[in-house]
PDB file of all heavy atoms in Angstrom:
ATOM      1  N   LEU A  27     107.916 119.787  97.305  1.00  0.00           N
ATOM      2  CA  LEU A  27     107.036 120.882  96.905  1.00  0.00           C
ATOM      3  C   LEU A  27     105.574 120.500  97.120  1.00  0.00           C
ATOM      4  O   LEU A  27     104.797 121.266  97.698  1.00  0.00           O
ATOM      5  CB  LEU A  27     107.291 121.251  95.444  1.00  0.00           C
ATOM      6  CG  LEU A  27     106.346 122.262  94.807  1.00  0.00           C
ATOM      7  CD1 LEU A  27     106.414 123.606  95.516  1.00  0.00           C
ATOM      8  CD2 LEU A  27     106.700 122.414  93.320  1.00  0.00           C
ATOM      9  N   ARG A  31     103.000 122.150  99.913  1.00  0.00           N
ATOM     10  CA  ARG A  31     101.705 122.747  99.534  1.00  0.00           C
ATOM     11  C   ARG A  31     100.567 122.103 100.321  1.00  0.00           C
ATOM     12  O   ARG A  31      99.659 122.793 100.789  1.00  0.00           O
ATOM     13  CB  ARG A  31     101.472 122.582  98.045  1.00  0.00           C
ATOM     14  CG  ARG A  31     102.282 123.518  97.207  1.00  0.00           C
ATOM     15  CD  ARG A  31     101.973 123.276  95.769  1.00  0.00           C
ATOM     16  NE  ARG A  31     102.511 124.306  94.920  1.00  0.00           N
ATOM     17  CZ  ARG A  31     102.591 124.200  93.608  1.00  0.00           C
ATOM     18  NH1 ARG A  31     102.162 123.109  93.002  1.00  0.00           N
ATOM     19  NH2 ARG A  31     103.102 125.180  92.899  1.00  0.00           N
ATOM     20  N   ARG A  36     106.656 125.224 104.038  1.00  0.00           N
ATOM     21  CA  ARG A  36     107.742 125.714 103.184  1.00  0.00           C
ATOM     22  C   ARG A  36     108.694 124.563 102.905  1.00  0.00           C
ATOM     23  O   ARG A  36     108.582 123.488 103.506  1.00  0.00           O
ATOM     24  CB  ARG A  36     108.515 126.847 103.882  1.00  0.00           C
ATOM     25  CG  ARG A  36     107.670 128.021 104.373  1.00  0.00           C
ATOM     26  CD  ARG A  36     107.127 128.899 103.272  1.00  0.00           C
ATOM     27  NE  ARG A  36     108.125 129.527 102.436  1.00  0.00           N
ATOM     28  CZ  ARG A  36     108.668 130.723 102.631  1.00  0.00           C
ATOM     29  NH1 ARG A  36     108.314 131.439 103.677  1.00  0.00           N
ATOM     30  NH2 ARG A  36     109.543 131.216 101.774  1.00  0.00           N
ATOM     31  N   ALA A  37     109.638 124.787 102.022  1.00  0.00           N
ATOM     32  CA  ALA A  37     110.692 123.812 101.734  1.00  0.00           C
ATOM     33  C   ALA A  37     112.034 124.440 102.075  1.00  0.00           C
ATOM     34  O   ALA A  37     112.193 125.653 102.008  1.00  0.00           O
ATOM     35  CB  ALA A  37     110.662 123.406 100.263  1.00  0.00           C
ATOM     36  N   TRP A  39     116.184 123.811 101.134  1.00  0.00           N
ATOM     37  CA  TRP A  39     117.035 123.089 100.192  1.00  0.00           C
ATOM     38  C   TRP A  39     117.732 121.936 100.886  1.00  0.00           C
ATOM     39  O   TRP A  39     118.195 122.085 102.007  1.00  0.00           O
ATOM     40  CB  TRP A  39     118.086 124.033  99.583  1.00  0.00           C
ATOM     41  CG  TRP A  39     118.884 123.368  98.516  1.00  0.00           C
ATOM     42  CD1 TRP A  39     118.546 123.259  97.200  1.00  0.00           C
ATOM     43  CD2 TRP A  39     120.144 122.708  98.667  1.00  0.00           C
ATOM     44  NE1 TRP A  39     119.517 122.562  96.526  1.00  0.00           N
ATOM     45  CE2 TRP A  39     120.511 122.211  97.420  1.00  0.00           C
ATOM     46  CE3 TRP A  39     120.988 122.455  99.746  1.00  0.00           C
ATOM     47  CZ2 TRP A  39     121.686 121.503  97.201  1.00  0.00           C
ATOM     48  CZ3 TRP A  39     122.161 121.744  99.541  1.00  0.00           C
ATOM     49  CH2 TRP A  39     122.500 121.283  98.278  1.00  0.00           C
ATOM     50  N   LEU A 109     114.046 120.305  86.978  1.00  0.00           N
ATOM     51  CA  LEU A 109     113.213 121.189  87.799  1.00  0.00           C
ATOM     52  C   LEU A 109     112.624 122.361  87.016  1.00  0.00           C
ATOM     53  O   LEU A 109     111.841 123.131  87.583  1.00  0.00           O
ATOM     54  CB  LEU A 109     114.007 121.729  88.990  1.00  0.00           C
ATOM     55  CG  LEU A 109     114.490 120.693  89.985  1.00  0.00           C
ATOM     56  CD1 LEU A 109     115.146 121.370  91.177  1.00  0.00           C
ATOM     57  CD2 LEU A 109     113.370 119.788  90.435  1.00  0.00           C
ATOM     58  N   VAL A 112     108.920 123.237  87.480  1.00  0.00           N
ATOM     59  CA  VAL A 112     108.433 123.563  88.824  1.00  0.00           C
ATOM     60  C   VAL A 112     109.317 124.558  89.570  1.00  0.00           C
ATOM     61  O   VAL A 112     109.045 124.883  90.720  1.00  0.00           O
ATOM     62  CB  VAL A 112     108.281 122.285  89.693  1.00  0.00           C
ATOM     63  CG1 VAL A 112     107.243 121.341  89.105  1.00  0.00           C
ATOM     64  CG2 VAL A 112     109.618 121.596  89.895  1.00  0.00           C
ATOM     65  N   LEU A 113     110.368 125.055  88.930  1.00  0.00           N
ATOM     66  CA  LEU A 113     111.345 125.871  89.647  1.00  0.00           C
ATOM     67  C   LEU A 113     110.723 127.134  90.232  1.00  0.00           C
ATOM     68  O   LEU A 113     111.006 127.495  91.380  1.00  0.00           O
ATOM     69  CB  LEU A 113     112.531 126.221  88.748  1.00  0.00           C
ATOM     70  CG  LEU A 113     113.751 126.780  89.464  1.00  0.00           C
ATOM     71  CD1 LEU A 113     114.254 125.836  90.551  1.00  0.00           C
ATOM     72  CD2 LEU A 113     114.867 127.063  88.457  1.00  0.00           C
ATOM     73  N   SER A 114     109.846 127.776  89.505  1.00  0.00           N
ATOM     74  CA  SER A 114     109.191 128.978  90.026  1.00  0.00           C
ATOM     75  C   SER A 114     108.367 128.642  91.266  1.00  0.00           C
ATOM     76  O   SER A 114     108.422 129.365  92.272  1.00  0.00           O
ATOM     77  CB  SER A 114     108.305 129.600  88.952  1.00  0.00           C
ATOM     78  OG  SER A 114     107.613 130.700  89.464  1.00  0.00           O
ATOM     79  N   ASP A 115     107.632 127.546  91.224  1.00  0.00           N
ATOM     80  CA  ASP A 115     106.837 127.119  92.384  1.00  0.00           C
ATOM     81  C   ASP A 115     107.734 126.722  93.552  1.00  0.00           C
ATOM     82  O   ASP A 115     107.420 127.010  94.710  1.00  0.00           O
ATOM     83  CB  ASP A 115     105.927 125.950  92.015  1.00  0.00           C
ATOM     84  CG  ASP A 115     104.865 126.344  90.999  1.00  0.00           C
ATOM     85  OD1 ASP A 115     104.472 127.519  90.980  1.00  0.00           O
ATOM     86  OD2 ASP A 115     104.448 125.465  90.230  1.00  0.00           O
ATOM     87  N   TYR A 116     108.852 126.068  93.241  1.00  0.00           N
ATOM     88  CA  TYR A 116     109.802 125.676  94.284  1.00  0.00           C
ATOM     89  C   TYR A 116     110.348 126.924  94.987  1.00  0.00           C
ATOM     90  O   TYR A 116     110.423 126.977  96.209  1.00  0.00           O
ATOM     91  CB  TYR A 116     110.921 124.839  93.668  1.00  0.00           C
ATOM     92  CG  TYR A 116     111.953 124.328  94.652  1.00  0.00           C
ATOM     93  CD1 TYR A 116     111.669 123.278  95.523  1.00  0.00           C
ATOM     94  CD2 TYR A 116     113.223 124.892  94.703  1.00  0.00           C
ATOM     95  CE1 TYR A 116     112.616 122.805  96.418  1.00  0.00           C
ATOM     96  CE2 TYR A 116     114.180 124.427  95.604  1.00  0.00           C
ATOM     97  CZ  TYR A 116     113.875 123.389  96.447  1.00  0.00           C
ATOM     98  OH  TYR A 116     114.814 122.918  97.341  1.00  0.00           O
ATOM     99  N   PHE A 117     110.717 127.946  94.188  1.00  0.00           N
ATOM    100  CA  PHE A 117     111.202 129.200  94.781  1.00  0.00           C
ATOM    101  C   PHE A 117     110.149 129.835  95.669  1.00  0.00           C
ATOM    102  O   PHE A 117     110.474 130.426  96.703  1.00  0.00           O
ATOM    103  CB  PHE A 117     111.610 130.207  93.708  1.00  0.00           C
ATOM    104  CG  PHE A 117     113.020 130.027  93.216  1.00  0.00           C
ATOM    105  CD1 PHE A 117     113.265 129.826  91.883  1.00  0.00           C
ATOM    106  CD2 PHE A 117     114.091 130.065  94.092  1.00  0.00           C
ATOM    107  CE1 PHE A 117     114.560 129.663  91.420  1.00  0.00           C
ATOM    108  CE2 PHE A 117     115.385 129.903  93.649  1.00  0.00           C
ATOM    109  CZ  PHE A 117     115.624 129.692  92.302  1.00  0.00           C
ATOM    110  N   ASP A 118     108.880 129.732  95.274  1.00  0.00           N
ATOM    111  CA  ASP A 118     107.805 130.342  96.068  1.00  0.00           C
ATOM    112  C   ASP A 118     107.707 129.753  97.469  1.00  0.00           C
ATOM    113  O   ASP A 118     107.318 130.452  98.400  1.00  0.00           O
ATOM    114  CB  ASP A 118     106.450 130.199  95.357  1.00  0.00           C
ATOM    115  CG  ASP A 118     106.332 131.090  94.139  1.00  0.00           C
ATOM    116  OD1 ASP A 118     107.156 132.015  93.976  1.00  0.00           O
ATOM    117  OD2 ASP A 118     105.402 130.849  93.343  1.00  0.00           O
ATOM    118  N   VAL A 119     108.036 128.469  97.628  1.00  0.00           N
ATOM    119  CA  VAL A 119     107.947 127.848  98.948  1.00  0.00           C
ATOM    120  C   VAL A 119     109.305 127.705  99.630  1.00  0.00           C
ATOM    121  O   VAL A 119     109.373 127.319 100.796  1.00  0.00           O
ATOM    122  CB  VAL A 119     107.238 126.457  98.913  1.00  0.00           C
ATOM    123  CG1 VAL A 119     105.836 126.581  98.379  1.00  0.00           C
ATOM    124  CG2 VAL A 119     108.049 125.431  98.170  1.00  0.00           C
ATOM    125  N   LEU A 120     110.379 128.023  98.906  1.00  0.00           N
ATOM    126  CA  LEU A 120     111.728 127.829  99.440  1.00  0.00           C
ATOM    127  C   LEU A 120     112.033 128.837 100.539  1.00  0.00           C
ATOM    128  O   LEU A 120     111.912 130.041 100.347  1.00  0.00           O
ATOM    129  CB  LEU A 120     112.764 127.933  98.325  1.00  0.00           C
ATOM    130  CG  LEU A 120     114.192 127.563  98.701  1.00  0.00           C
ATOM    131  CD1 LEU A 120     114.276 126.096  99.125  1.00  0.00           C
ATOM    132  CD2 LEU A 120     115.121 127.825  97.530  1.00  0.00           C
ATOM    133  N   LEU A 121     112.424 128.332 101.675  1.00  0.00           N
ATOM    134  CA  LEU A 121     112.812 129.151 102.811  1.00  0.00           C
ATOM    135  C   LEU A 121     114.335 129.259 102.819  1.00  0.00           C
ATOM    136  O   LEU A 121     115.024 128.270 102.583  1.00  0.00           O
ATOM    137  CB  LEU A 121     112.333 128.489 104.110  1.00  0.00           C
ATOM    138  CG  LEU A 121     112.434 129.282 105.388  1.00  0.00           C
ATOM    139  CD1 LEU A 121     111.544 130.522 105.314  1.00  0.00           C
ATOM    140  CD2 LEU A 121     112.010 128.422 106.570  1.00  0.00           C
ATOM    141  N   GLY A 122     114.856 130.444 103.052  1.00  0.00           N
ATOM    142  CA  GLY A 122     116.298 130.585 103.198  1.00  0.00           C
ATOM    143  C   GLY A 122     117.004 131.326 102.089  1.00  0.00           C
ATOM    144  O   GLY A 122     118.208 131.559 102.178  1.00  0.00           O
ATOM    145  N   MET A 123     116.295 131.714 101.036  1.00  0.00           N
ATOM    146  CA  MET A 123     116.952 132.478  99.972  1.00  0.00           C
ATOM    147  C   MET A 123     117.463 133.790 100.547  1.00  0.00           C
ATOM    148  O   MET A 123     116.768 134.471 101.290  1.00  0.00           O
ATOM    149  CB  MET A 123     115.981 132.752  98.824  1.00  0.00           C
ATOM    150  CG  MET A 123     115.654 131.533  98.000  1.00  0.00           C
ATOM    151  SD  MET A 123     117.092 130.804  97.210  1.00  0.00           S
ATOM    152  CE  MET A 123     117.577 132.121  96.133  1.00  0.00           C
ATOM    153  N   LEU A 141     122.819 132.053 100.468  1.00  0.00           N
ATOM    154  CA  LEU A 141     122.113 131.238  99.481  1.00  0.00           C
ATOM    155  C   LEU A 141     121.565 132.165  98.415  1.00  0.00           C
ATOM    156  O   LEU A 141     120.729 133.025  98.685  1.00  0.00           O
ATOM    157  CB  LEU A 141     120.985 130.434 100.136  1.00  0.00           C
ATOM    158  CG  LEU A 141     120.169 129.547  99.199  1.00  0.00           C
ATOM    159  CD1 LEU A 141     121.041 128.525  98.478  1.00  0.00           C
ATOM    160  CD2 LEU A 141     119.066 128.850  99.972  1.00  0.00           C
ATOM    161  N   ALA A 142     122.082 132.022  97.197  1.00  0.00           N
ATOM    162  CA  ALA A 142     121.747 132.944  96.115  1.00  0.00           C
ATOM    163  C   ALA A 142     120.787 132.366  95.086  1.00  0.00           C
ATOM    164  O   ALA A 142     120.195 133.112  94.313  1.00  0.00           O
ATOM    165  CB  ALA A 142     123.032 133.397  95.413  1.00  0.00           C
ATOM    166  N   GLY A 143     120.618 131.051  95.062  1.00  0.00           N
ATOM    167  CA  GLY A 143     119.715 130.485  94.065  1.00  0.00           C
ATOM    168  C   GLY A 143     119.761 128.978  94.021  1.00  0.00           C
ATOM    169  O   GLY A 143     120.568 128.332  94.699  1.00  0.00           O
ATOM    170  N   VAL A 144     118.879 128.421  93.216  1.00  0.00           N
ATOM    171  CA  VAL A 144     118.819 126.994  92.928  1.00  0.00           C
ATOM    172  C   VAL A 144     118.581 126.882  91.436  1.00  0.00           C
ATOM    173  O   VAL A 144     117.731 127.585  90.874  1.00  0.00           O
ATOM    174  CB  VAL A 144     117.682 126.294  93.711  1.00  0.00           C
ATOM    175  CG1 VAL A 144     117.572 124.826  93.327  1.00  0.00           C
ATOM    176  CG2 VAL A 144     117.890 126.441  95.211  1.00  0.00           C
ATOM    177  N   ASP A 145     119.345 126.017  90.767  1.00  0.00           N
ATOM    178  CA  ASP A 145     119.193 125.902  89.314  1.00  0.00           C
ATOM    179  C   ASP A 145     118.237 124.767  88.925  1.00  0.00           C
ATOM    180  O   ASP A 145     117.687 124.084  89.784  1.00  0.00           O
ATOM    181  CB  ASP A 145     120.553 125.778  88.627  1.00  0.00           C
ATOM    182  CG  ASP A 145     121.269 124.450  88.888  1.00  0.00           C
ATOM    183  OD1 ASP A 145     120.651 123.491  89.407  1.00  0.00           O
ATOM    184  OD2 ASP A 145     122.467 124.367  88.550  1.00  0.00           O
ATOM    185  N   VAL A 146     118.048 124.580  87.622  1.00  0.00           N
ATOM    186  CA  VAL A 146     117.088 123.592  87.115  1.00  0.00           C
ATOM    187  C   VAL A 146     117.508 122.147  87.382  1.00  0.00           C
ATOM    188  O   VAL A 146     116.728 121.226  87.156  1.00  0.00           O
ATOM    189  CB  VAL A 146     116.815 123.789  85.605  1.00  0.00           C
ATOM    190  CG1 VAL A 146     116.108 125.098  85.346  1.00  0.00           C
ATOM    191  CG2 VAL A 146     118.090 123.663  84.790  1.00  0.00           C
ATOM    192  N   ARG A 149     120.851 122.226  91.997  1.00  0.00           N
ATOM    193  CA  ARG A 149     122.080 122.658  92.672  1.00  0.00           C
ATOM    194  C   ARG A 149     121.861 124.017  93.325  1.00  0.00           C
ATOM    195  O   ARG A 149     121.283 124.915  92.714  1.00  0.00           O
ATOM    196  CB  ARG A 149     123.236 122.754  91.679  1.00  0.00           C
ATOM    197  CG  ARG A 149     123.619 121.419  91.082  1.00  0.00           C
ATOM    198  CD  ARG A 149     124.702 121.586  90.057  1.00  0.00           C
ATOM    199  NE  ARG A 149     124.219 122.420  88.963  1.00  0.00           N
ATOM    200  CZ  ARG A 149     124.341 122.117  87.680  1.00  0.00           C
ATOM    201  NH1 ARG A 149     124.937 121.004  87.304  1.00  0.00           N
ATOM    202  NH2 ARG A 149     123.880 122.932  86.755  1.00  0.00           N
TER     203      ARG A 149
END
Side-chain angles (χ1 to χ4, degrees):
L27 173 62
R31 284 180 169 167
R36 306 289 300 269
W39 186 85
L109 297 185
V112 297
L113 194 56
S114 176
D115 295 331
Y116 182 74
F117 275 123
D118 288 346
V119 300
L120 188 63
L121 190 63
M123 288 299 296
L141 180 59
V144 176
D145 70 13
V146 294
R149 295 177 298 229

